[in-house]
Amino acid sequence: MGNSPDRYPLVSVLMPVLGGGPFLAPAVESVLGQTFTRWELVVVLQGQETTDDDALLRGYQDSRLHVIRIPGTPG
C-alpha cells in the first residue's frame, strides 16, 4: 500500500446551488485547491436561473466535477 493515493477513500462533496452568483466560483475553487486529491464534487444546480452558474461550471476542466441540473423553483 505505501503512499499510494488509492489507499485513501474517495470523498464526495455535495454542493447544492440556488443562484450561486459571486459565491459559486470561490466555493468550487476551494474544493479544487485541496491537496487531498481523492474527491469528487457534485454540484446540484436548482431553479430556472442556472445559465450563468452552468456557464461558469463548464469552464472548469476537471473530471472530478459533476453537475446535476434540477429545473424549476424549489419549494
Side-chain angles (χ1 to χ4, degrees):
M1 240 179 345
N3 289 328
S4 169
D6 292 338
R7 74 182 180 122
Y8 298 108
L10 178 66
V11 174
S12 297
V13 178
L14 180 60
M15 184 181 297
V17 176
L18 177 60
F23 303 105
L24 182 57
V28 170
E29 289 167 19
S30 174
V31 177
L32 291 172
Q34 297 299 308
T35 56
F36 183 81
T37 59
R38 297 252 321 136
W39 56 262
E40 66 176 350
L41 173 59
V42 180
V43 179
V44 181
L45 294 178
Q46 305 173 61
Q48 297 291 350
E49 301 302 321
T50 62
T51 53
D52 290 341
D53 294 339
D54 201 28
L56 179 126
L57 292 169
R58 278 195 302 272
Y60 291 103
Q61 301 296 315
D62 195 307
S63 63
R64 299 171 295 177
L65 173 62
H66 311 284
V67 179
I68 298 172
R69 292 160 192 85
I70 301 175
T73 303

